[in-house]
Amino acid sequence: MTLTQNSQNSQNYSIAEIEQETGIKRDTLRVWERRYNFPVPLRNERRERIYSSEQLSRLRLIKQLMDSGTQPGKLVTLDKRELHALAEQHVCRSVSFPGSGVLDLLTGGSLCELQPRLEILLKELGLHDFLSNVVAPLNHAVGEAWFAGKLGILDEHHYTEQIRMILTAEMRRTARNDGARPRVLLSTMPGEPHGIGLLMVACTLSLEGAEILSLGVQTPLEEIVRGAVENKCAIVGVSCSEYLRRRTVASQLVRLRSMLPENIALWAGGSGLRNITLLQENIRIFSDLSQISAALQDQQIRSLTGSKRINSSKKRSNNHELF
Amino acid sequence: MTLTQNSQNSQNYSIAEIEQETGIKRDTLRVWERRYNFPVPLRNERRERIYSSEQLSRLRLIKQLMDSGTQPGKLVTLDKRELHALAEQHVCRSVSFPGSGVLDLLTGGSLCELQPRLEILLKELGLHDFLSNVVAPLNHAVGEAWFAGKLGILDEHHYTEQIRMILTAEMRRTARNDGARPRVLLSTMPGEPHGIGLLMVACTLSLEGAEILSLGVQTPLEEIVRGAVENKCAIVGVSCSEYLRRRTVASQLVRLRSMLPENIALWAGGSGLRNITLLQENIRIFSDLSQISAALQDQQIRSLTGSKRINSSKKRSNNHELF
DNA sequence: GTCATTATTTTGTCCTAGACAAAAAATAAA
DNA sequence: TTTATTTTTTGTCTAGGACAAAATAATGAC
């Protein structure tokens, strides 16, 4: 019994693999083929779709642009050059900030120099300012650069990994479990894989003296509730990127609120909650980190304040975690 | 325009949500319904499936048992008690090891005591022994306990998160980029979300003096190759849990090997590679951490040694990362 | 008894093509 | 400009059929 050689020649992808790599669901791929006549893959002897690596890279590009708000129907007819041009156009001129030079390390391919550079910035600024003035804008800038095609998935992964490493280590340094209050349970919702925003929140809260119980990403709602109750947490914090559909996020948040005892506060934040019109009275929504530290200082969580309508802005998502 | 209330009452799940929560694909859920008459969900006015939370929890349990090797056809007819009994049966008596008491903290619900306990063990044993004698067996034990229903997703997430925190911080401590050799690029393959095994490897290699370039999980193969070449890595390391199908893993590994320049070694390890009969001459497979440090000491990677057939053992997977 | 080979069952993934609501864009009215 | 209403666009859901890969059972050789 020899090894499966089917996709050996490194050129062909099944529909499942394309789904995996691009994040576009099978159903969607099939319906695009029907409607827009793209992508039209080859078929194997069993009539199953076989995509080429060129189709894959084009789909990746299209997905990027879709995530930034363009409709697929207007993208599939364009050729590669037009797509790239469009990507450029979507990038807004980035402002300068303490660590703006760091981005060049990524685009320039000097991956190994990233870590010491970040460490220096952290030391100079302290954790709090590092988070607000370096990590947050860098996240944004990295997302932008990725759209513009200036950054590969590789560079972005490496960046994420470095940030994760630094923040995790800082978390550990500042962590306390000496009965400090309030105790906060943090996680993301089922289906939400982005964890950097969560880490930033965790660091911020930890600095403010809270005791963090972090569950990482993708915890089922029932388990979040159980954890919060069993461990007597005063607050449950949920971070939402733009990865999930907005209505999914909204309905999950409402569901979570209804499952949670009233005396436990529910806080939600992250770029996935921009433009959410109104959720519910007793769900508190944050649009940036400083709001969180402020809110924590009202420790007592006296009389849950009404939900806060966040300042809306024209949608320009980038599928990356701004916070 | 009010908020979507469709799934408000916290009892109903769409097929997409069930897929999300259980990891069982839509197609599979539908075919089970057709074949086994389970799960048969209610339908909404549009004939769409609506699952109850009881069906969800039963599906979760079934998924657990399937992951440990039982066929679904033999599970769907059983009731809750029988399922739990079966789960018990699958648990093998766990051996005792330095940190075995730690498990009780999780089952006992004292989540907050876990971190200091682990820190003490780390200090006492040192990183190397901590990895081999505590983390590895604990991973196993946690997986077992989860099957047996003694541990919730909550506890398991918290455990994972704590281990991740400690190992990440240690990684940062031991990291060097003073031109130390060899340079190793680490990642998991597309679709493989488990990162703890990767971290363990990273720590091990870092201790041995390698320079680590970690990309985290789920990097496309093309990007892995690009990263390895651009950064002049001598070795590419890939960690595989049992999450992906074996044939997927195999074909991806072979594809990666063919894309990679010959002078870059490809190392693969993790529980997902147990029972892999034979891959290819120039892919090196590891079944535990100590093999890795040994291999690294043959630094020169002289004449790629032939692939190593690993000692096979009866399949008993648990979908958790043993390494 | 164990091991290797072959036959049979089980199971997941893929297929087509139609339907429809939620979201976005375009239009009309204030 | 903003606000309400229509139209277009888009993703997800449905049904039931097909088929190979994986797992199990059966067979034969030693």
Side-chain angles (χ1 to χ4, degrees):
Chain A
M1 217 56 78
T2 63
L3 190 63
T4 51
Q5 303 253 14
N6 52 0
S7 47
Q8 158 88 347
N9 68 12
S10 93
Q11 296 279 33
N12 302 330
Y13 300 85
S14 71
I15 197 169
E17 288 171 309
I18 294 290
E19 175 179 20
Q20 190 70 262
E21 300 267 349
T22 64
I24 303 167
K25 295 197 186 156
R26 297 145 205 252
D27 278 340
T28 305
L29 286 166
R30 286 195 272 255
V31 94
W32 283 5
E33 183 178 339
R34 216 192 304 165
R35 282 190 192 141
Y36 314 126
N37 246 30
F38 176 86
V40 181
L42 297 174
R43 301 293 182 121
N44 67 10
E45 66 287 351
R46 216 189 314 156
R47 284 217 208 147
E48 293 172 345
R49 292 170 173 81
I50 295 183
Y51 296 86
S52 69
S53 50
E54 208 207 311
Q55 287 171 320
L56 168 59
S57 67
R58 180 129 168 243
L59 284 168
R60 279 217 186 94
L61 196 49
I62 287 176
K63 184 70 187 335
Q64 280 179 35
L65 288 162
M66 276 175 44
D67 288 338
S68 83
T70 316
Q71 287 180 298
K74 293 170 184 173
L75 294 171
V76 287
T77 57
L78 306 178
D79 71 7
K80 212 177 246 176
R81 289 222 321 259
E82 293 172 302
L83 285 174
H84 273 109
L86 200 55
E88 282 287 352
Q89 195 182 317
H90 271 275
V91 178
C92 72
R93 45 254 128 253
S94 54
V95 263
S96 128
F97 53 94
S100 48
V102 171
L103 196 60
D104 302 328
L105 296 180
L106 290 172
T107 54
S110 325
L111 296 190
C112 293
E113 294 168 37
L114 180 62
Q115 202 232 353
R117 189 73 158 270
L118 290 171
E119 297 280 2
I120 291 170
L121 281 166
L122 170 60
K123 220 168 224 166
E124 283 176 2
L125 298 172
L127 180 53
H128 186 275
D129 289 353
F130 180 70
L131 285 171
S132 316
N133 302 333
V134 177
V135 180
L138 252 186
N139 283 350
H140 196 100
V142 166
E144 297 280 4
W146 184 65
F147 281 135
K150 290 177 190 161
L151 241 57
I153 298 179
L154 163 69
D155 312 295
E156 196 241 329
H157 272 215
H158 181 249
Y159 167 75
T160 305
E161 212 44 31
Q162 293 302 323
I163 294 291
R164 184 191 306 283
M165 185 185 300
I166 290 177
L167 296 191
T168 303
E170 287 300 307
M171 254 299 286
R172 183 193 185 202
R173 234 171 35 78
T174 59
R176 67 202 67 197
N177 68 337
D178 48 7
R181 286 280 158 178
R183 192 179 276 181
V184 185
L185 184 145
L186 293 177
S187 184
T188 71
M189 297 196 294
E192 167 65 69
H194 298 315
I196 292 289
L198 201 64
L199 258 178
M200 293 172 72
V201 174
C203 284
T204 305
L205 290 174
S206 189
L207 266 181
E208 296 290 338
E211 180 177 353
I212 307 297
L213 200 77
S214 179
L215 301 182
V217 295
Q218 315 215 46
T219 310
L221 302 186
E222 300 85 4
E223 294 289 302
I224 292 180
V225 173
R226 186 165 73 83
V229 172
E230 285 183 2
N231 295 284
K232 303 200 176 62
C233 296
I235 302 166
V236 167
V238 172
S239 161
C240 313
S241 80
E242 315 194 20
Y243 183 81
L244 291 178
R245 292 282 185 92
R246 242 179 304 155
R247 64 184 212 88
T248 309
V249 172
S251 79
Q252 301 243 67
L253 270 179
V254 171
R255 181 186 292 181
L256 177 56
R257 177 66 271 181
S258 74
M259 293 162 71
L260 219 47
E262 294 211 3
N263 64 335
I264 297 181
L266 176 56
W267 291 7
S271 47
L273 292 173
R274 284 195 295 190
N275 299 341
I276 289 285
T277 46
L278 175 69
L279 267 166
Q280 202 165 310
E281 285 189 2
N282 43 3
I283 301 176
R284 189 149 179 192
I285 293 180
F286 297 91
S287 53
D288 71 73
L289 289 173
S290 61
Q291 288 180 4
I292 294 181
S293 16
L296 194 71
Q297 281 157 5
D298 308 358
Q299 275 173 343
Q300 306 298 29
I301 314 139
R302 56 198 150 200
S303 64
L304 309 161
T305 58
S307 80
K308 224 167 156 183
R309 198 182 282 252
I310 67 176
N311 48 344
S312 63
S313 58
K314 181 69 189 149
K315 180 183 178 185
R316 257 199 66 265
S317 87
N318 63 6
N319 195 16
H320 280 69
E321 29 211 344
L322 307 175
F323 133 62
Chain B
M1 217 59 75
T2 61
L3 190 63
T4 50
Q5 304 252 14
N6 50 1
S7 46
Q8 161 86 350
N9 68 12
S10 94
Q11 296 280 32
N12 301 329
Y13 301 85
S14 70
I15 197 169
E17 289 171 309
I18 294 289
E19 176 179 17
Q20 191 71 262
E21 300 267 350
T22 63
I24 302 168
K25 296 198 182 152
R26 297 145 207 253
D27 277 340
T28 306
L29 286 165
R30 286 194 273 256
V31 94
W32 283 4
E33 184 178 339
R34 214 192 307 163
R35 284 193 191 137
Y36 314 127
N37 247 31
F38 176 85
V40 181
L42 296 173
R43 300 295 183 123
N44 67 9
E45 66 286 352
R46 215 190 314 154
R47 284 218 207 144
E48 293 171 345
R49 290 171 173 80
I50 295 184
Y51 296 86
S52 69
S53 51
E54 207 207 314
Q55 287 171 318
L56 170 59
S57 67
R58 179 126 171 245
L59 283 168
R60 279 218 186 94
L61 195 49
I62 287 176
K63 185 69 190 335
Q64 280 179 34
L65 288 163
M66 275 175 46
D67 287 339
S68 82
T70 316
Q71 287 180 300
K74 293 171 182 169
L75 295 171
V76 288
T77 57
L78 305 179
D79 72 7
K80 211 177 246 175
R81 287 221 323 259
E82 293 172 301
L83 285 174
H84 273 110
L86 200 54
E88 282 287 353
Q89 194 183 316
H90 271 277
V91 178
C92 70
R93 45 253 129 255
S94 54
V95 261
S96 130
F97 53 94
S100 48
V102 171
L103 196 61
D104 302 329
L105 296 179
L106 290 171
T107 54
S110 326
L111 296 191
C112 293
E113 293 169 38
L114 179 62
Q115 202 233 351
R117 189 71 158 271
L118 290 172
E119 297 279 2
I120 291 170
L121 281 166
L122 170 59
K123 220 169 224 164
E124 284 176 1
L125 299 173
L127 181 52
H128 186 275
D129 287 354
F130 181 69
L131 285 171
S132 316
N133 301 333
V134 177
V135 180
L138 252 185
N139 282 350
H140 196 100
V142 166
E144 297 280 4
W146 185 62
F147 281 134
K150 291 177 189 161
L151 240 58
I153 298 179
L154 163 70
D155 313 295
E156 197 241 330
H157 271 213
H158 181 250
Y159 166 75
T160 304
E161 213 43 32
Q162 292 303 324
I163 294 290
R164 185 191 305 282
M165 185 184 302
I166 291 177
L167 296 192
T168 303
E170 288 300 308
M171 252 300 285
R172 183 193 185 204
R173 234 171 34 77
T174 59
R176 67 203 66 198
N177 69 337
D178 48 8
R181 286 281 159 177
R183 193 179 275 178
V184 184
L185 185 145
L186 291 178
S187 184
T188 71
M189 299 198 292
E192 167 64 69
H194 298 316
I196 292 289
L198 202 63
L199 258 178
M200 293 172 71
V201 175
C203 284
T204 304
L205 290 175
S206 190
L207 267 181
E208 296 289 338
E211 180 177 353
I212 307 296
L213 200 78
S214 179
L215 300 182
V217 295
Q218 315 215 41
T219 310
L221 302 186
E222 298 84 3
E223 294 289 301
I224 292 181
V225 173
R226 186 166 73 83
V229 172
E230 285 183 2
N231 295 284
K232 304 202 176 64
C233 297
I235 301 165
V236 167
V238 172
S239 160
C240 312
S241 81
E242 316 194 19
Y243 182 80
L244 292 178
R245 292 282 184 92
R246 242 177 305 155
R247 63 185 213 89
T248 309
V249 172
S251 81
Q252 300 242 67
L253 270 180
V254 171
R255 181 186 290 182
L256 177 56
R257 178 66 271 181
S258 73
M259 294 162 70
L260 217 48
E262 293 212 1
N263 64 334
I264 297 180
L266 176 56
W267 291 5
S271 46
L273 291 175
R274 283 195 294 190
N275 299 341
I276 291 285
T277 45
L278 175 69
L279 269 164
Q280 202 165 311
E281 283 190 3
N282 43 2
I283 300 176
R284 190 150 178 190
I285 293 180
F286 297 90
S287 54
D288 71 74
L289 290 173
S290 60
Q291 289 178 3
I292 294 182
S293 15
L296 194 71
Q297 283 158 3
D298 308 359
Q299 277 173 339
Q300 306 297 28
I301 313 138
R302 56 196 151 200
S303 62
L304 308 163
T305 58
S307 80
K308 223 167 156 183
R309 198 181 281 252
I310 68 177
N311 46 344
S312 64
S313 59
K314 181 69 189 149
K315 179 182 181 185
R316 257 198 68 266
S317 88
N318 63 5
N319 197 16
H320 280 69
E321 27 209 347
L322 308 176
F323 134 61

